[in-house]
Amino acid sequence: VFFYIISHNFCMANSTIENIKKNIKKYRLDCGLTQEKLGELCNISPDYISEIERGRKIPSLKRLIIIADVLNVSIGELADNS
């Protein structure tokens, strides 16, 4: 299992990153949001949201908290495998 250091002692396994990218898209669509609208609400560029969802970027813990808050889910829900 590979781990990524995100920020100050915060690590995520590859499988967790896969879950997060999948779930950000799932919850975004469940909320009826486009990547553009989610980016606007999170003060993050829509291109960055797209990169996260495609697994090309790994969001920082700070950005994960912001995205989870806007999507009205916990970080645990974003990382969940279900």
Side-chain angles (χ1 to χ4, degrees), residues 4-5 7 16 19 34-35 37 39 51-53 55 57 59 62 64 67-70 75-76 81:
Y4 292 93
I5 303 295
S7 67
T16 303
N19 293 342
T34 63
Q35 290 175 341
K37 187 62 178 177
E51 296 279 322
I52 293 169
E53 289 183 359
K57 297 283 184 185
K62 179 180 176 182
L64 274 179
I67 292 168
D69 186 51
V70 168
I75 291 179
N81 190 23

Side-chain angles (χ1 to χ4, degrees), residues 39-73:
E40 178 185 326
L41 293 170
C42 295
N43 199 27
I44 298 171
S45 78
D47 289 337
Y48 191 78
I49 298 293
S50 174
E51 296 279 322
I52 293 169
E53 289 183 359
R54 290 184 289 144
R56 295 183 180 213
K57 297 283 184 185
I58 302 169
S60 66
L61 178 58
K62 179 180 176 182
R63 286 192 171 161
L64 274 179
I65 292 168
I66 292 167
I67 292 168
D69 186 51
V70 168
L71 295 175
N72 199 30
V73 296

Side-chain angles (χ1 to χ4, degrees), residues 10-42:
F10 180 70
C11 298
M12 288 193 293
N14 263 357
S15 59
T16 303
I17 293 167
E18 289 297 315
N19 293 342
I20 287 171
K21 75 177 195 177
K22 174 188 71 172
N23 287 332
I24 287 174
K25 182 174 184 177
K26 174 193 177 299
Y27 288 117
R28 174 179 64 78
L29 294 174
D30 287 350
C31 290
L33 299 174
T34 63
Q35 290 175 341
E36 291 77 15
K37 187 62 178 177
L38 178 60
E40 178 185 326
L41 293 170
C42 295

